[in-house]
Amino acid sequence: MDAQTSPFIDITAARMLAELATTLRRDGIELRIARDIGQFRDVIHTAAPEAFQHNAFRTVDEALRADPPRDDNSTHR
C-alpha cells in the first residue's frame, strides 16, 4: 500500500489496516506499507505497532523487492 497519498489516518483506520493485515497473512498474503509519512506513520505505529513493524518501506520498489519476513510459525507476516 502506497501511503504517501494518504498523509492522514485515524486510530480506527489504523486498527482496520492491522486487522486486514492479519486476515491477509492467514491466506499467505503480506500487506506492506510504502512511503508512510508524517501523521500516517505516527498513528499506524502507535495504534498497531506489531502489525507493520517489519512491513514499512521507504519506497514502493523497496516494498516489492523485500524478502518475505521469516516467522516462527513458518507463515508470512
Side-chain angles (χ1 to χ4, degrees), residues 44-74:
I44 200 88
H45 291 293
T46 299
E50 69 288 341
F52 300 103
Q53 183 176 10
H54 301 290
N55 295 335
F57 299 87
R58 291 182 321 170
T59 68
V60 172
D61 287 338
E62 283 183 12
L64 294 173
R65 285 192 307 250
D67 291 332
R70 294 189 340 219
D71 187 81
D72 292 340
N73 298 323
S74 298

Side-chain angles (χ1 to χ4, degrees), residues 25-29 68-77:
R25 195 174 305 124
R26 286 185 201 127
D27 292 332
I29 300 167
R70 294 189 340 219
D71 187 81
D72 292 340
N73 298 323
S74 298
T75 60
H76 288 103
R77 290 215 246 226

Side-chain angles (χ1 to χ4, degrees), residues 14-38:
R15 289 180 180 155
M16 184 275 314
L17 285 174
E19 288 178 27
L20 175 63
T22 299
T23 300
L24 291 172
R25 195 174 305 124
R26 286 185 201 127
D27 292 332
I29 300 167
E30 180 183 5
L31 179 61
R32 295 177 178 183
I33 296 177
R35 303 192 293 183
D36 60 340
I37 59 172

